[in-house]
Amino acid sequence: MEVFIQQVISGLATGSIYAALALALVMIYEATDVVNFAQGNMAMFATYLCWSLLGAGLPYWGAFFATLAIAFAGGVLIERVIIRPVENAPILTIVIVTVGLLVIFDSVAGWIYSYVQKPFPSPFPKEPIRFGEIVFGAHDLGQIGVTLIVLLCIYVFFRFTPLGLAMRAAAQNPVSSRLVGIRVGWMLALGWGLASMFGAVAGIMVAPILFLDPNMMGGVLIYAFAAATLGGFTSPLGAVVGGLIVGVTENLVGTYVWFIGTELKLTVALAIIIVVLVVKPSGLFGRTLVKRV
């Protein structure tokens, strides 16, 4: 029983990372109907920036919040400079642009920082936390807490602030939003900024576990895709719930299914994507879009 509880908590910890990255994917998809394949590498590059700030002498949380600010500004800049000129182009064109961004971020990070893995510090104690016979990693519990705080702030922002409500309106109905004076273009840019910031949180929290290198977010992005697919690409809540489910499922399957182990855990995410697309393409919380022909 102790092993089961530990695996569930550990799964919630990694699932919270998947949830943050899945939420970033969903935000951009809701605004543009396009999946941002560069989301993971944008998060990776932001994590390298945080590593550089720590190396320059900034305290951990100072570097953390400075990185979030830089990531937000970078996301807005990408939307304004790169995405906006092709926003009316065919969807395949925008997809190719995001794939190009993926390659650019990977290459630039390798050029600047090299492809050698680097340790990334954790702000949480190294000593494990014990509850009776059950032992939890302090970083696991800490990253759950950080991710939940970020998600709570985002919920309050979108639910109760005028800017958050305007961004929701612009994503759901751009034409009507323009008629009431909402600057839809800038709302989309802010959405890219927030998505980039969520990705930075995911990258910084997962880096102490995976080590820092330009390819570290490749597997995490696949899990985030599985989370967004399971929860529904049209539901931010679904992205969060899907991330937690994927994290727990991955850990339990890897522990109790003998032929999966740690080597084939990534196939769990791929299997989730395939099953959901076959059985319920809109996901658990997604809405089914109906178009007249």
Side-chain angles (χ1 to χ4, degrees):
M1 189 60 181
E2 289 83 2
V3 173
F4 176 82
I5 295 175
Q6 286 182 330
Q7 291 302 319
V8 169
I9 297 298
S10 179
L12 291 175
T14 54
S16 66
I17 300 301
Y18 306 154
L21 200 58
L23 185 58
L25 293 170
V26 166
M27 284 195 64
I28 292 180
Y29 180 82
E30 277 207 296
T32 63
D33 287 332
V34 172
V35 174
N36 180 17
F37 289 95
Q39 196 72 62
N41 280 40
M42 290 169 62
M44 170 273 298
F45 199 82
T47 308
Y48 267 113
L49 293 178
C50 185
W51 181 79
S52 298
L53 293 175
L54 290 171
L58 265 69
Y60 184 92
W61 293 113
F64 178 85
F65 288 109
T67 301
L68 296 192
I70 295 170
F72 178 84
V76 172
L77 185 64
I78 288 173
E79 197 282 335
R80 293 279 93 183
V81 175
I82 299 175
I83 303 300
R84 185 170 176 78
V86 297
E87 64 180 355
N88 295 319
I91 291 179
L92 182 59
T93 301
I94 306 177
V95 169
I96 292 173
V97 169
T98 64
V99 172
L101 285 172
L102 181 154
V103 175
I104 289 171
F105 277 111
D106 181 84
S107 301
V108 172
W111 174 53
I112 296 175
Y113 299 103
S114 83
Y115 288 90
V116 177
Q117 287 188 335
K118 297 176 175 62
F120 194 91
S122 170
F124 307 109
K126 294 182 179 180
E127 296 75 18
I129 299 174
R130 298 179 179 272
F131 292 95
E133 297 296 322
I134 305 174
V135 181
F136 300 119
H139 185 82
D140 287 346
L141 298 180
Q143 72 182 19
I144 292 175
V146 169
T147 307
L148 289 179
I149 291 172
V150 171
L151 295 177
L152 178 62
C153 292
I154 292 304
Y155 171 78
V156 171
F157 173 75
F158 281 111
R159 188 83 171 97
F160 299 108
T161 67
L163 181 57
L165 293 173
M167 290 180 65
R168 289 173 58 192
Q172 294 176 8
N173 197 326
V175 176
S176 298
S177 299
R178 287 189 178 92
L179 293 176
V180 296
I182 296 175
R183 301 181 66 181
V184 173
W186 274 107
M187 295 302 104
L188 298 182
L190 293 178
W192 271 78
L194 288 175
S196 179
M197 191 171 67
F198 299 153
V201 172
I204 293 171
M205 288 293 105
V206 81
I209 302 172
L210 298 180
F211 291 99
L212 185 59
D213 78 89
N215 300 311
M216 72 172 191
M217 296 298 287
V220 178
L221 184 62
I222 293 177
Y223 287 116
F225 273 123
T229 303
L230 177 61
F233 264 96
T234 58
S235 173
L237 173 63
V240 176
V241 175
L244 298 178
I245 293 175
V246 169
V248 172
T249 303
E250 170 207 3
N251 265 27
L252 293 180
V253 170
T255 301
Y256 293 106
V257 180
W258 62 270
F259 62 87
I260 296 292
T262 57
E263 292 80 8
L264 297 177
K265 286 171 70 173
L266 193 60
T267 60
V268 175
L270 298 174
I272 290 174
I273 294 174
I274 293 171
V275 170
V276 173
L277 291 178
V278 171
V279 177
K280 197 175 189 300
S282 60
L284 296 177
F285 297 90
R287 58 184 183 273
T288 302
L289 301 178
V290 178
K291 295 184 179 180
R292 294 180 180 179
V293 288

